[in-house]
Amino acid sequence: MGRKSRKRPYHAGHVPLNIDRVTGGVRRETGPGGHVFNVRHIPSATKEYRCPGCQQIIQIGVAHVVAWTEETIWGEKAGLENRRHWHTSCWRAWDTRGYSF
């Protein structure tokens, strides 16, 4: 007796590509001054961080974003080392106000 084929049936549609999964959850956003930032959504903080937007503590368990730029005079590695954890609302508000690392 033959085995059942595991191929997708001819008439079935493709499974949509999950872009967040492919990119590791990192998206690129253009900020003030035309700098491009890598932004990653973190569903739950595992330790406390200080938000550079409001200078308040991001509590453990709070969803937030991490942002960094690769456009530094010291290169990509320096930008990654200078990444910052932001409250999601502070990051959105910053997008209109501007901030420099």
Side-chain angles (χ1 to χ4, degrees):
M1 180 172 216
R3 293 184 357 206
K4 183 177 179 181
S5 173
R6 295 183 186 265
K7 290 183 180 180
R8 177 179 49 88
Y10 182 76
H11 64 285
H14 290 281
V15 176
L17 182 63
N18 184 339
I19 297 299
D20 282 339
R21 185 173 179 188
V22 171
T23 62
V26 176
R27 63 186 184 277
R28 296 173 69 84
E29 297 181 9
T30 302
H35 295 289
V36 176
F37 288 86
N38 296 319
V39 180
R40 176 178 284 153
H41 175 75
I42 307 296
S44 178
T46 57
K47 65 179 197 175
E48 291 183 344
Y49 299 97
R50 184 166 301 274
C51 174
C54 66
Q55 300 302 318
Q56 300 297 314
I57 299 293
I58 299 172
Q59 298 292 331
I60 294 173
V62 173
H64 63 286
V65 298
V66 178
W68 69 96
T69 184
E70 296 172 354
E71 296 178 1
T72 67
I73 60 174
W74 298 282
E76 293 178 21
K77 186 175 179 184
L80 185 59
E81 290 172 356
N82 289 322
R83 65 187 178 265
R84 298 289 179 256
H85 294 253
W86 295 71
H87 290 109
T88 304
S89 59
C90 292
W91 175 253
R92 287 187 192 131
W94 168 81
D95 194 25
T96 60
R97 285 193 314 247
Y99 178 85
S100 63
F101 281 93

